[in-house]
């Protein structure tokens, strides 16, 4: 498996992160229906294919029901290519994520990000939560604890550094994500050698 997928709501900074990771401008789909592009890049001394899946969530000029269609499409893509996907990077906006998750949590509602996190786990794909826009977050540790808690990763977040990666993509600060990814790549290599 050599594919890394980026998943998240629109406006969380997925394309900014993608550019940072690949050094390229990669077209992002704003429509449901994912075109699988063979975007291969060297990362962590390996050759990976990066796929930026369409962002769901509020979009201007897009009617209701569309969001659901995009999420369904993202789920379908991940399920279809699960065997080839090495890492699922769930990108969140560090400043907004807790409010959005809580707003969508109810008796019969699971927030999309939480659902996608569990989907990755169920399919045996290693999830990494890239908490972006950390430059806008003042109470860093508290915020990361809160986000982790909502994904079942109980505080302190620092014991989950292989999963929770605080980043500021806009300023090119993505070391935490690269470190987390590297650890998973190394672990996968060790497993293959067994
Ligand atoms: P996408 O819709 O998820 O692909 O999001 P974009 O990459 O287009 O970014 C959405 C907005 O967030 C843009 O205005 C970016 O400049 C901004 N943005 C992206 N990363 C960061 C970050 O690390 N910090 C801040 N403050 N803004 C960011």
């Amino acid at each position: 498996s050599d594919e890394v997928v980026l998943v998240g709501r629109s406006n969380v900074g997925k394309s900014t992160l993608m550019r940072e990771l690949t050094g390229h401008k990669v077209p992002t789909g704003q429509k449901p229906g994912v075109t699988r592009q063979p975007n291969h890049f060297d990362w962590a001394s390996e050759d990976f294919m990066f796929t930026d899946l369409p962002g769901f969530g509020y979009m201007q000029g897009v009617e209701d029901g569309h969001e659901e269609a995009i999420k369904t499409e993202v789920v379908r893509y991940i399920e279809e290519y699960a065997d080839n996907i090495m890492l699922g990077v769930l990108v969140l906006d560090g400043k907004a994520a807790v409010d959005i998750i809580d707003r969508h949590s109810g008796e019969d509602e699971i927030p999309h990000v939480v659902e996608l996190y569990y989907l990755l786990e169920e399919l045996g794909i290693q999830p990494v939560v890239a908490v972006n826009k950390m430059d806008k977050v003042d109470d860093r540790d508290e915020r990361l604890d809160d986000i982790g808690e909502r994904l079942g990763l109980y505080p302190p977040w620092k014991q989950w550094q292989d999963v929770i990666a605080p980043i500021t993509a806009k300023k090119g600060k993505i070391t935490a994500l690269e470190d987390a990814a590297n650890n998973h790549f190394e672990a996968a290599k060790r497993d293959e050698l067994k």
Side-chain angles (χ1 to χ4, degrees):
S1 46
D2 71 341
E3 182 170 356
V4 175
V5 293
L6 269 70
V7 188
R9 293 174 64 86
S10 17
N11 211 43
V12 293
K14 273 191 317 115
S15 8
T16 308
L17 174 61
M18 196 69 163
R19 263 197 305 278
E20 217 30 72
L21 288 169
T22 63
H24 289 71
K25 213 175 179 147
V26 177
T28 325
Q30 286 284 305
K31 304 181 252 42
V34 183
T35 18
R36 199 156 192 261
Q37 291 161 326
N39 286 313
H40 282 266
F41 299 98
D42 286 335
W43 192 36
S45 1
E46 302 286 328
D47 182 43
F48 285 105
M49 175 180 152
F50 284 96
T51 307
D52 187 7
L53 295 173
F56 43 87
Y58 173 77
M59 267 179 287
Q60 224 164 4
V62 166
E63 71 272 29
D64 286 350
H66 202 75
E67 169 175 355
E68 221 39 48
I70 292 177
K71 197 215 65 181
T72 305
E73 202 61 41
V74 168
V75 169
R76 194 177 299 152
Y77 184 94
I78 295 173
E79 284 174 342
E80 185 174 351
Y81 295 106
D83 288 349
N84 194 51
I85 303 173
M86 165 92 201
L87 205 67
V89 181
L90 198 57
V91 188
L92 305 184
D93 176 334
K95 183 96 181 167
V98 172
D99 285 345
I100 292 170
I101 291 173
D102 288 350
R103 203 185 319 138
H104 292 280
S105 300
E107 229 167 79
D108 41 30
E109 194 185 8
I110 298 176
H112 289 344
V113 285
V114 177
E115 190 183 334
L116 286 163
Y117 182 85
Y118 287 120
L119 175 76
L120 292 169
E121 280 201 321
E122 268 169 42
L123 295 171
I125 302 169
Q126 178 64 52
V128 172
V129 182
V131 186
N132 191 30
K133 308 197 186 184
M134 287 306 289
D135 57 319
K136 296 208 287 185
V137 173
D138 301 321
D139 49 348
R140 184 184 164 88
D141 286 336
E142 205 180 312
R143 193 57 69 106
L144 294 167
D145 282 350
D146 286 348
I147 290 172
E149 199 164 10
R150 279 153 181 80
L151 298 168
L153 306 166
Y154 290 95
W157 76 272
K158 286 204 168 149
Q159 45 175 350
W160 300 105
Q161 286 188 71
D162 277 359
V163 187
I164 300 177
I167 60 169
T168 299
K170 198 172 153 178
K171 294 184 184 160
K173 293 184 179 174
I174 58 165
T175 319
L177 173 60
E178 289 176 327
D179 288 349
N182 259 317
N183 284 337
H184 295 304
F185 299 157
E186 292 300 327
K189 264 193 256 173
R190 281 196 300 274
D191 281 348
E192 271 169 32
L193 292 175
K194 269 183 206 156

